[in-house]
Amino acid sequence: MLVAAAVCPCPPLLVPEVAAGAAPELDAARAACTDALGVLAASRPDRLVVVGPADSAGPEVYPRGARGSFRGFGVDVEVYLGADSGGADGAELPHGLAVGAWLLARTGWTDVPIDVIGVGEELSAERCAAVGRDVAARAGRTALLVLGDASACRTLKAPGYLDERAAPFDAEVGRALETADPAALAALDPGLARELKASGRAPWQVLAGAAGDSGLGGALLYEDAPYGVGYIVATWS
């Protein structure tokens, strides 16, 4: 059963080496992510399932030891999923999941078994929910780390330029995460999320399927739109 969930953004800029001189601008977001992972640890799970954006529709499953790299962003930083070094026969993580591996490494997640699932923007809401229900149906206490960004269209300089629909979309996501409202997450429009470049839509809908009627309570730890991209950190427990 699902006992806790942490929702974190996953821009490579969270990694200080990638952000370089701009790194302090996301210190509050990093601190909130650390706090969210602390909530997961406090739930004493038997298993951690990480769900984040994938390049294909998925669901894609990545093994322990899969490698993530930020060389594409000009820095020689590598991370390994739930391990100190690779051992997954060349499996490589998409950037969002690589950020998740970095968050786990900096908070010391090594002992609890970790499963990782990538879901992409083409995966339907119904299929995302089914993936979530399958995760929650596994034996033992399961915690979820859910990775994804809100819209990338909040300002003129945002990656997706300014879209007047972005702020209301992000506000609804923030409300749903703060109040632990699976129905509201399940109702997010995949087409609108794609237009707003919201990479979190599919992972959030996996969370909705996993939570079901579990009765978890929500808490919003961080919400802002630096660089015109919506970043939200929340916990369900």
Side-chain angles (χ1 to χ4, degrees):
M1 65 177 178
L2 183 68
V3 295
V7 178
C8 294
C10 57
L13 286 172
L14 274 183
V15 180
E17 292 89 342
V18 175
E25 296 175 18
L26 289 180
D27 278 348
R30 293 185 194 98
C33 290
T34 298
D35 291 343
L37 286 170
V39 171
L40 294 189
S43 73
R44 296 187 297 176
D46 300 313
R47 173 190 305 103
L48 175 66
V49 178
V50 182
V51 181
D55 298 327
S56 64
E60 298 284 347
V61 177
Y62 297 88
R64 180 181 176 89
R67 182 180 70 94
S69 171
F70 299 102
R71 286 198 180 95
F73 299 92
V75 296
D76 188 14
V77 175
E78 289 188 345
V79 291
Y80 297 94
L81 187 61
D84 294 330
S85 60
D89 299 325
E92 186 154 351
L93 300 169
H95 291 133
L97 287 169
V99 171
W102 177 82
L103 287 171
L104 291 171
R106 76 192 294 261
T107 52
W109 280 82
T110 56
D111 296 332
V112 176
I114 298 175
D115 297 328
V116 178
I117 303 170
V119 288
E121 65 179 17
E122 298 299 328
L123 198 65
S124 70
E126 294 77 12
R127 187 72 182 95
C128 290
V131 171
R133 288 192 296 270
D134 178 68
V135 167
R138 300 176 187 178
R141 299 169 58 84
T142 297
L144 272 179
L145 172 57
V146 183
L147 301 158
D149 302 339
S151 73
C153 303
R154 292 282 293 274
T155 66
L156 292 174
K157 294 184 178 180
Y161 197 65
L162 177 64
D163 190 314
E164 63 183 12
R165 302 171 296 174
F169 177 89
D170 290 357
E172 173 58 17
V173 172
R175 187 205 66 79
L177 292 174
E178 182 175 24
T179 59
D181 187 344
L185 293 180
L188 293 173
D189 181 351
L192 176 60
R194 186 181 308 113
E195 292 172 12
L196 296 177
K197 303 183 183 302
S199 67
R201 189 276 307 174
W204 299 329
Q205 290 183 326
V206 172
L207 168 60
D213 58 358
S214 59
L216 298 177
L220 191 65
L221 307 186
Y222 177 89
E223 185 176 17
D224 202 356
Y227 317 114
V229 182
Y231 298 152
I232 301 171
V233 182
T235 58
W236 291 14
S237 62

